Amino acid sequence: MKINKNKISIVVGWIFISLLAIFLFPDKDLAQKAETPHLGQMSPRTIIAPISFDVPKTAQELEIERQKAADKVNAVFEFNHDESKRSLDDLKQFLSKVGAYGSLQYAIAESNDPDSVQMFTQQASRMFDVLKQRLSTTAVQKLSQDSKARDSLYSAFNRMIQKGISNTLIANTETSVQLFRDNYNIQDVQFIPYTNTTISFIKDNVESNIDASQIQPRERRIDETFAELQMSFSKSQGLQSAFYEALYVFTLPNVFYLEKETEVRKKTAQQQVHLSKGMIPRGMEIVSQGSIITKDILEKIDALQNALQKEEGSKTLTATYGQGLLLLAVVSGFFLFFMLFASDSVKKTNHIWSIIALAAIQLLLFWLFQRISGVLNKPDSILSDSIDLIWIYPFSIAPIIATVLYERRIGLIFSLFSSVMMSFLSGYDLAIMISSFFISWASIHLLARMRYRVQFAWGILSGVSMLALMLVIILLLRNRLDFEIFFSTFIAGTINLIFCTAIASVLLIHLAEKVFGITTVLTLMEMADFNRPALKRLSELAPGSFHHSIQVANLAEKVAEYIGADSLLVRVMALYHDLGKTMRPEFFTENQKQGINPHNSLDPFQSVKIITGHVEQGISLAKEYNIPELVAAAIPEHHGTTVIQYFYHTAKELYPDRTLKEEDFRYKGPKPQSKESAILMLADSIEATSRALSDSSSDALAEMIRKSIDLRLKEGQFSETDLSVKDLFKLEKAFLQSLDGTYHTRVKYPSQNKT
């Protein structure tokens, strides 16, 4: 059933990863990149235009040209006759009243009839009240007394109106605007920044281009008109003041800036900018073999590929389908390699799904960084153009995680998968694929069977060294070996490797352990710490068992290294395998003091129940102390389904008439499921037996080890592991070497002989 579940998981994962890859990378431009040489590289072949095509301008070039086209458009101003007539009529009516008021003043002065004087005075008073609402008393009096001044004011005002009074200041710099503000003590100034020498002027529905200097705001027109009147009436300060006051009161804009019309014309001009630099006719040579690829040539090649892509857009079978099929083949190859070379390392369904999830994360990161590199590759990017952005892709993150979670073989499979995807993203660049594979290999090589976290630092150093070598090779191949290009790309790649290792070691590996129930070497290293609560409990409550566990751990670790098993896992298993003995430590020989054995007062059946009970109690304690399942599995498996021979034979002696079943004296199992559990079973038995030997010679130890292994083999305890007969011979040799070194005969010194 487990095998079926695993196969179903692999098939579902294959379909999911295939669809994800096709969904994330459907862009057929990836295939087009394969034909694109790099800037500065020598062209490997001569390229002739197979079709006629346009060379488009870049986004930056279009933006610059559109801005220039918009700047060339003249600002549009319109002369408003209604406003002009309103201003002239207003001044004319006012001056007429001022003249009438002057006539009344003259009549009052000349009349001798009291009644007439009174009537004229009343009329003049009412009229004066109206006039002084617009101008000061002094100004009204001066203008009422001089008809020539009134006529001159109206004529000058009329000429000013015809010239036009703009509602908007035309300024070519911000400084000129500030000077205008300071000169006239005005803060709120409507202005347009303008550098052209002419403007479009609409008058009487006729548009013409006039000099921009002819468009002047109200304040400057008043100054011009006042200067004209000042010359004609230079001797009368009172009239000059009246003129200036009247001009400020009655002058209103009659020329208006048409902002919307101007913007429409600018947009029209921008839309008329040609999108292409020119056309390349069919049959024209774009670049010859051996020529250096310049920016201009590269733009033509890109334009050709885009043109070919558009031409093929009407075809049923296009590069998109080829891209999808190739991605499907790559994903299929990944799962095939996994099944052929690494399936024995990943046997549980949740572990298979961790592989699938890791592949999905790698694809998603590639997709994310493809978008990021697209943003960074824009002309206004803060990054230097010399950086090859393909090296910011986190191609080593999945290989690092896979190596730490499982083993180097799986890490290498992920390295190959990532490097092939890197070649896709770089336009099927074989050099990039090979380089990224070797860099990933160098990064993970020192992480296999890691025992110390400092190995992550050594992995970074190894990967960075390989990165430097690969960059030199690639740049030499492309004739681009330059210090600036090498250094900037090397820094980007180094940051990428550090980022991948840091994120993997600090976050993703720990997350994978929790989500998928995987026990990594990092966790095992932590579990081997004697200050762990479970081990402190064992050392305090069952010191004899704790000492025995350490001895078994040392012995099993050496033996595991000899046959290529996971030595760290075996060591940690050994440290926790007798955790259940802490519940009733005095019932186990290694914890008994002064020769007191409580089993002497118990029935063999009761003793067996206590002895076998420490397994179930150990499993319960493992759950309580959150010991990983991989480690906790050793608690029942290191005894397997063996018979407790001592109490079985004791029962037979005490109850010779009873029919005894071995099953009543057997551990419940299961049998060892891995090499590591099998090694622990043998180490536990051999270590305990060796302490009871009176003869510790090599021959005696070899005989004891051989009998122990043969006994477990005959009992079928190794039937569910992948231990071979060859492995058992290696185990026998390894146990003998380890124990022989422990029980070697020490040289006796003279002082010891005398005693």
Side-chain angles (χ1 to χ4, degrees):
M1 189 68 180
K2 181 189 293 185
I3 296 176
N4 291 336
K5 282 185 178 180
N6 288 350
K7 286 184 177 179
I8 291 172
S9 298
I10 291 173
V11 171
V12 172
W14 169 68
I15 295 173
F16 171 70
I17 297 299
S18 299
L19 293 176
L20 181 64
I22 294 171
F23 174 76
L24 292 178
F25 307 105
D27 191 2
K28 57 188 175 185
D29 287 344
L30 292 176
Q32 300 289 346
K33 289 180 182 178
E35 299 295 325
T36 307
H38 296 276
L39 184 66
Q41 176 186 357
M42 286 192 298
S43 178
R45 60 191 178 91
T46 298
I47 300 177
I48 306 294
I51 59 173
S52 297
F53 62 95
D54 291 325
V55 180
K57 297 173 182 174
T58 64
Q60 186 178 14
E61 290 171 339
L62 281 174
E63 185 178 352
I64 293 173
E65 290 192 23
R66 284 169 178 167
Q67 187 59 48
K68 288 180 178 179
D71 291 340
K72 289 180 180 179
V73 173
N74 285 341
V76 183
F77 287 81
E78 184 179 31
F79 185 90
N80 192 307
H81 284 281
D82 292 337
E83 289 296 328
S84 302
K85 186 175 184 302
R86 189 178 297 111
S87 297
L88 284 170
D89 290 345
D90 188 22
L91 179 62
K92 185 176 181 180
Q93 291 174 8
F94 183 82
L95 292 178
S96 176
K97 290 179 182 180
V98 170
Y101 173 72
S103 298
L104 287 173
Q105 290 288 86
Y106 180 78
I108 292 170
E110 294 295 327
S111 178
N112 295 322
D113 182 8
D115 292 336
S116 297
V117 170
Q118 183 179 4
M119 180 184 68
F120 292 152
T121 302
Q122 290 176 350
Q123 291 177 358
S125 177
R126 287 195 296 272
M127 190 170 291
F128 184 73
D129 288 339
V130 174
L131 294 174
K132 71 178 184 181
Q133 292 177 6
R134 307 288 296 274
L135 295 182
S136 65
T137 302
T138 304
V140 171
Q141 292 292 350
K142 289 292 183 180
L143 289 173
S144 66
Q145 296 170 9
D146 194 334
S147 60
K148 181 181 178 182
R150 293 196 299 272
D151 293 340
S152 297
L153 174 61
Y154 182 77
S155 297
F157 188 82
N158 184 37
R159 288 191 295 274
M160 179 178 65
I161 289 294
Q162 296 308 316
K163 288 181 180 179
I165 305 161
S166 174
N167 69 329
T168 303
L169 171 68
I170 296 177
N172 54 2
T173 63
E174 184 66 32
T175 303
S176 60
V177 177
Q178 189 58 45
L179 288 173
F180 184 84
R181 290 192 181 105
D182 296 340
N183 288 339
Y184 295 101
N185 195 24
I186 302 172
Q187 295 303 316
D188 189 14
V189 178
Q190 182 177 338
F191 71 95
I192 57 169
Y194 196 70
T195 56
N196 293 355
T197 57
T198 60
I199 59 100
S200 294
F201 189 69
I202 301 175
K203 186 176 183 180
D204 297 328
N205 293 325
V206 177
E207 182 175 344
S208 60
N209 291 334
I210 64 172
D211 197 281
S213 61
Q214 297 183 35
I215 301 298
Q216 295 295 340
R218 174 175 175 269
E219 288 73 17
R220 287 180 179 168
R221 287 299 189 202
I222 290 174
D223 283 353
E224 292 174 2
T225 306
F226 177 70
E228 180 184 339
L229 291 169
Q230 196 176 25
M231 292 177 63
S232 301
F233 298 89
S234 59
K235 296 181 180 180
S236 176
Q237 292 294 327
L239 277 176
Q240 291 180 18
S241 297
F243 289 150
Y244 200 79
E245 187 176 343
L247 288 172
Y248 257 98
V249 170
F250 290 96
T251 302
L252 293 173
N254 67 333
V255 174
F256 298 93
Y257 171 55
L258 303 183
E259 183 179 3
K260 290 184 178 180
E261 175 64 21
T262 304
E263 290 301 320
V264 168
R265 294 186 182 189
K266 286 184 177 181
K267 288 182 179 179
T268 302
Q270 289 176 335
Q271 291 171 356
Q272 291 175 350
V273 172
H274 291 291
L275 300 179
S276 67
K277 297 178 181 180
M279 189 192 76
I280 304 296
R282 179 181 178 182
M284 179 178 177
E285 182 181 286
I286 298 175
V287 62
S288 60
Q289 184 178 5
S291 299
I292 300 298
I293 301 297
T294 63
K295 184 178 180 183
D296 182 58
I297 293 174
L298 196 59
E299 288 177 353
K300 291 178 182 179
I301 295 173
D302 289 337
L304 172 60
Q305 290 177 346
N306 291 332
L308 290 173
Q309 184 177 328
K310 289 180 181 178
E311 189 177 73
E312 294 172 0
S314 58
K315 296 181 180 180
T316 304
L317 300 176
T318 62
T320 302
Y321 294 97
Q323 176 79 10
L325 291 173
L326 196 54
L327 286 170
L328 180 63
V330 170
V331 175
S332 301
F334 167 74
F335 278 92
L336 181 63
F337 270 81
F338 171 72
M339 293 175 66
L340 291 176
F341 302 111
S343 59
D344 57 329
S345 300
V346 183
K347 298 178 180 179
K348 296 185 178 180
T349 304
N350 58 328
H351 292 181
I352 292 174
W353 279 105
S354 72
I355 298 294
I356 297 168
L358 195 53
I361 289 172
Q362 184 67 78
L363 289 175
L364 289 170
L365 286 173
F366 276 141
W367 174 84
L368 176 63
F369 276 80
Q370 185 189 32
R371 298 297 181 274
I372 293 174
S373 65
V375 174
L376 296 177
N377 209 24
K378 291 184 177 179
D380 57 349
S381 173
I382 59 174
L383 293 181
S384 170
D385 293 337
S386 60
I387 298 177
D388 191 347
L389 293 179
I390 193 66
W391 295 111
I392 71 169
Y393 288 58
F395 60 92
S396 64
I397 196 164
I400 290 172
I401 297 173
T403 302
V404 176
L405 288 181
Y406 297 106
E407 61 175 1
R408 188 187 298 156
R409 279 184 302 170
I410 299 180
L412 286 174
I413 293 173
F414 270 100
S415 296
L416 184 59
F417 175 68
S418 293
S419 61
V420 171
M421 291 304 302
M422 283 282 283
S423 74
F424 274 32
L425 297 170
S426 59
Y428 307 138
D429 193 323
L430 179 63
I432 294 294
M433 183 184 79
I434 295 173
S435 299
S436 57
F437 176 79
F438 277 107
I439 293 168
S440 294
W441 171 80
S443 299
I444 68 174
H445 182 69
L446 298 176
L447 300 182
R449 296 184 178 274
M450 69 180 299
R451 299 295 291 266
Y452 307 101
R453 291 186 183 273
V454 73
Q455 287 177 250
F456 282 117
W458 288 113
I460 293 174
L461 184 60
S462 176
V464 168
S465 301
M466 185 62 72
L467 170 67
L469 176 62
M470 291 296 107
L471 282 180
V472 170
I473 294 173
I474 289 176
L475 293 176
L476 282 173
L477 286 172
R478 294 173 180 172
N479 197 31
R480 296 181 66 203
L481 186 56
D482 177 80
F483 179 76
E484 182 182 355
I485 297 175
F486 170 80
F487 182 74
S488 56
T489 305
F490 175 72
I491 292 299
T494 300
I495 293 173
N496 175 24
L497 290 175
I498 295 173
F499 167 79
C500 290
T501 305
I503 292 296
S505 62
V506 174
L507 176 63
L508 295 180
I509 292 174
H510 179 71
L511 187 63
E513 286 184 300
K514 296 297 182 183
V515 173
F516 298 104
I518 303 170
T519 304
T520 67
V521 289
L522 301 177
T523 299
L524 292 176
M525 287 189 293
E526 294 174 356
M527 295 292 296
D529 183 2
F530 288 165
N531 289 316
R532 299 282 295 190
L535 292 182
K536 291 187 81 172
R537 173 192 176 96
L538 184 62
S539 65
E540 293 171 0
L541 299 181
S545 296
F546 179 66
H547 178 72
H548 162 70
S549 297
I550 294 174
Q551 296 297 327
V552 173
N554 293 334
L555 178 61
E557 183 179 19
K558 293 178 182 178
V559 172
E561 288 177 354
Y562 191 83
I563 69 164
D566 191 336
S567 59
L568 179 59
L569 175 59
V570 173
R571 179 176 183 81
V572 176
M573 282 179 165
L575 291 175
Y576 291 88
H577 78 285
D578 277 341
L579 183 61
K581 291 182 179 180
T582 58
M583 301 299 290
R584 305 182 78 173
E586 68 277 6
F587 285 91
F588 299 91
T589 307
E590 63 268 22
N591 298 309
Q592 294 170 1
K593 299 179 181 179
Q594 299 176 352
I596 301 175
N597 188 348
H599 288 289
N600 293 335
S601 59
L602 294 178
D603 183 270
F605 293 97
Q606 293 176 319
S607 294
V608 166
K609 187 175 181 180
I610 294 173
I611 296 298
T612 57
H614 89 277
V615 173
E616 295 179 359
Q617 291 164 349
I619 294 172
S620 298
L621 288 172
K623 293 179 180 178
E624 180 181 339
Y625 286 100
N626 295 318
I627 295 173
E629 182 181 342
L630 184 64
V631 177
I635 296 175
E637 289 178 17
H638 85 279
H639 285 298
T641 57
T642 58
V643 176
I644 306 174
Q645 296 291 341
Y646 177 81
F647 292 109
Y648 176 63
H649 289 294
T650 300
K652 288 175 70 175
E653 292 176 0
L654 291 175
Y655 308 105
D657 298 331
R658 290 175 58 177
T659 303
L660 300 178
K661 297 180 180 179
E662 282 191 350
E663 298 301 321
D664 295 335
F665 296 86
R666 190 183 297 277
Y667 285 101
K668 297 179 180 179
K671 295 177 182 179
Q673 302 294 305
S674 64
K675 283 183 180 181
E676 288 75 19
S677 294
I679 291 171
L680 176 59
M681 169 184 277
L682 292 172
D684 182 49
S685 173
I686 290 171
E687 194 280 333
T689 306
S690 67
R691 285 189 294 157
L693 286 177
S694 57
D695 182 6
S696 59
S697 63
S698 294
D699 293 339
L701 290 173
E703 183 66 19
M704 180 270 294
I705 293 169
R706 185 165 47 255
K707 286 182 177 179
S708 297
I709 294 176
D710 288 344
L711 177 62
R712 296 293 178 254
L713 183 61
K714 290 176 181 178
E715 291 176 348
Q717 298 299 321
F718 306 140
S719 61
E720 297 180 14
T721 70
D722 53 357
L723 279 174
S724 63
V725 175
K726 185 177 180 180
D727 289 332
L728 293 177
F729 278 113
K730 286 183 178 180
L731 285 174
E732 183 178 338
K733 184 178 180 181
F735 275 117
L736 179 59
Q737 287 180 351
S738 181
L739 285 179
D740 200 25
T742 303
Y743 291 97
H744 70 280
T745 303
R746 294 173 57 186
V747 177
K748 291 187 177 183
Y749 294 94
S751 59
Q752 292 176 317
N753 291 330
K754 291 178 182 180
T755 59

